[in-house]
Amino acid sequence: MERQPVQPGGRDAGGPAEVRRLHRPLQRADLPAVADVRRVLREALRHWGVPALADTAELLTTELVTNALRHTDRGAVLTVTLPPGADRRLRVEVRDFTTRHPRLRAPSERRTSGRGLLLVQSLADAWGVRPDGDGTGKIVWFELDAGAC
């Protein structure tokens, strides 16, 4: 499985009045790619002028990407967008290829997993799940307020 690097700069990065975008396909069960996603996301946020969002965005993105790669059969697609303007919100979407929705689980001292969506719910300014456009999967997303950065 060959990983394709994504550059946070370049044409897709956008200028001051354009939406900045990061797009990354992920192969099925490629959990080592999660570390690369964190690195690329941090670089993009620094390049886009919102490095203060990096820690929270990395943590929540890691949770969504890991869930998609562990619990589905066909990989996932990560898309990160940051629109221009004062009221801008960083939006992270992870598309996978199953229609089964994730569910929040009550934390337990005995469970070693299952807290990821609780972190997303606690730390994101907004989050949700929606069907993808072609009915073959879903998109789990979150937003962080980038206006104060």
Side-chain angles (χ1 to χ4, degrees):
M1 290 181 268
E2 182 179 330
R3 291 194 189 103
Q4 297 181 8
V6 175
Q7 298 300 321
R11 184 178 173 113
D12 288 344
E18 297 176 12
V19 172
R20 293 172 171 144
R21 185 175 318 275
L22 176 70
H23 186 78
R24 170 81 190 261
L26 300 158
Q27 300 297 317
R28 178 181 165 268
D30 187 10
L31 291 175
V34 176
D36 191 46
V37 164
R38 284 193 300 267
R39 180 189 56 78
V40 170
L41 179 60
R42 182 172 291 275
E43 288 175 10
L45 296 178
R46 182 184 51 76
H47 182 75
W48 297 345
V50 290
L53 296 178
D55 289 338
T56 302
E58 280 183 55
L59 174 65
L60 301 184
T61 300
T62 297
E63 292 299 332
L64 297 188
V65 168
T66 301
N67 283 349
L69 295 179
R70 291 181 82 195
H71 301 294
T72 66
D73 294 333
R74 290 187 42 211
V77 178
L78 170 70
T79 303
V80 181
T81 54
L82 181 65
D87 296 332
R88 61 193 181 157
R89 292 168 81 87
L90 178 75
R91 184 174 180 98
V92 175
E93 297 182 344
V94 178
R95 177 180 186 238
D96 63 38
F97 301 93
T98 181
T99 57
R100 187 178 64 245
H101 281 222
R103 55 189 170 95
L104 288 168
R105 294 195 282 187
S108 165
E109 291 179 17
R110 295 179 183 214
R111 286 191 183 145
T112 59
S113 66
R115 291 173 176 79
L117 287 180
L118 290 173
L119 286 171
V120 174
Q121 182 180 44
S122 297
L123 298 175
D125 293 308
W127 80 281
V129 182
R130 66 179 173 81
D132 66 4
D134 60 14
T136 62
K138 67 181 172 302
I139 295 171
V140 183
W141 60 270
F142 71 84
E143 292 181 342
L144 298 174
D145 182 7
C149 294

